[in-house]
Amino acid sequence: MSPKIAAESSPDKVVVREYDEERDKAAVEELERRCEVGGQLGKAPSFVTDLMGDPLCRVRNFLFHVMLVAEYGAEKEIGGVIRGCIKTVTRGKNDSSGFPLYVKLAYILGLRVSPTHRRLGIGSKLVQHLEEWCKKNGADFAYMATDCSNKPSINLFTLKYEYVKFCNPTMLVHPVHAHYKPIDSSIAIVQLSPQFTESIYLRVFANSQFFPKDIDVIINNKLNLGTFMAMPKKYLPKWYTQSGTLPPSFAILSVWNTKEVFKLQVKGVSALTYACCVGSRVLDNLMPWLRLPSIPNVFRQFGVYFLYGLHMEGKGASRLMKSLCDFAHNMARDDDGCGALVAEVGQRDPVREAIPHWRKFSWVEDLWCIKKLTTATQEANGSCGPSDWCKSQPSSSVIFVDPRDF
């Protein structure tokens, strides 16, 4: 559902209006191609994203979503674009009742301004109009996520629009190489039904932050490849006979197939880095018995699997989580064109240390900034969620990263 927004004229030749697929698709695709997006690998190269011919793909999976474009000048060139969506999420638990606190949250993403249209105020106008859409549709807060090195975006949101730096999740990336990873024979890995997955997630993430109320929609989405649980094999027979119970030790995660939505490509590496990456594949092909973890060809377009809902409990849980990630790697290895596994977790989340990753391909700190949209009058009328989320200490170190946001 995407409520219509009327076009609005501006004296400085910038007009912001809602995206029209038939009219704007070609121009927006060209704009996206001209803008390098994503994060950095080793602080040198960059990810370039191909949205697979669907500029709305990043927000289509949300009930409430919108995409705005900015026209500039008499020629009405598309100089910028921005996307937004609204969902209901947890912001921790109520100290008195112990029940989760829910707020209506807007996510602002995909802000792009053409290199030939920068410093014209287009980015500011897009953010302003999107915030107004968010307010009209009842959002209590808005947040955005970016790489810590993206200073122009950070300055725009924090200095001009008063967003505050809220948290620094860690993005962990593991390339998919040519060899299967062995799974410990003492560990059982089972696929869970959507219904059982929902009941587990509602339990283990009830007190986390950003856990979406519509988790059932995510689990049943066609991009979700399944939810898997690892446990010691000795618990398997008893666990199957006790429906609805959990084993004393387990790890769980879900796999989201982003390669059907967008693809990435690494650009900007040095000649030496490129040669080393190619050399690792050549050596692996010549001597496959060494089982070298060669770097896949990330210099052409590739897809990724996003791992979300990562949680572990009990004795030896870190080993169980590592085995689950290895299992996901083997799934990706069998999927042509999947070049990496990606997970994003809170810096103090216990699962962080258990997730296999390559440092050169990962970000130690992502940056999420947040802003309260509701007014004092709305708070007094009880028409918004808790007003101190931006300033309060988080009640949990766990952040649930919605795969639709990735």
Side-chain angles (χ1 to χ4, degrees), residues 70-89:
E71 294 179 336
Y72 183 79
E75 297 80 9
K76 296 186 178 181
E77 294 179 279
I78 301 296
V81 63
I82 195 170
R83 302 164 179 85
C85 54
I86 298 175
K87 56 186 175 179
T88 301
V89 303

Side-chain angles (χ1 to χ4, degrees), residues 109-173:
L109 72 160
L111 173 61
R112 310 280 183 263
V113 177
S114 168
T116 57
H117 290 80
R118 290 173 183 169
R119 300 186 181 278
L120 298 172
I122 289 176
S124 297
K125 285 193 173 294
L126 285 168
V127 173
Q128 177 188 340
H129 281 73
L130 185 54
E131 281 193 351
E132 289 301 318
W133 177 86
C134 295
K135 292 175 184 177
K136 289 176 183 177
N137 286 279
D140 305 317
F141 297 88
Y143 83 108
M144 54 79 70
T146 189
D147 177 15
C148 285
S149 65
N150 190 350
K151 298 300 181 184
S153 181
I154 294 171
N155 290 339
L156 173 65
F157 281 92
T158 59
L159 300 181
K160 186 162 187 176
Y161 285 98
E162 300 180 333
Y163 284 70
V164 296
K165 296 178 181 180
F166 187 72
C167 60
N168 295 102
T170 299
M171 188 83 73
L172 303 174
V173 182

Side-chain angles (χ1 to χ4, degrees), residues 91-92 166-167 209 348 389 391-399:
R91 55 139 299 186
F166 187 72
C167 60
Q209 300 194 84
R348 295 183 293 115
W389 192 18
K391 301 177 182 179
S392 62
Q393 291 295 319
S395 59
S396 170
S397 62
V398 177
I399 297 171

Side-chain angles (χ1 to χ4, degrees), residues 170 172 312 345-357 363-364:
T170 299
L172 303 174
M312 59 188 191
V345 296
Q347 282 197 328
R348 295 183 293 115
D349 192 325
V351 302
R352 176 184 173 184
E353 301 303 323
I355 301 172
H357 61 280
W363 295 271
V364 175

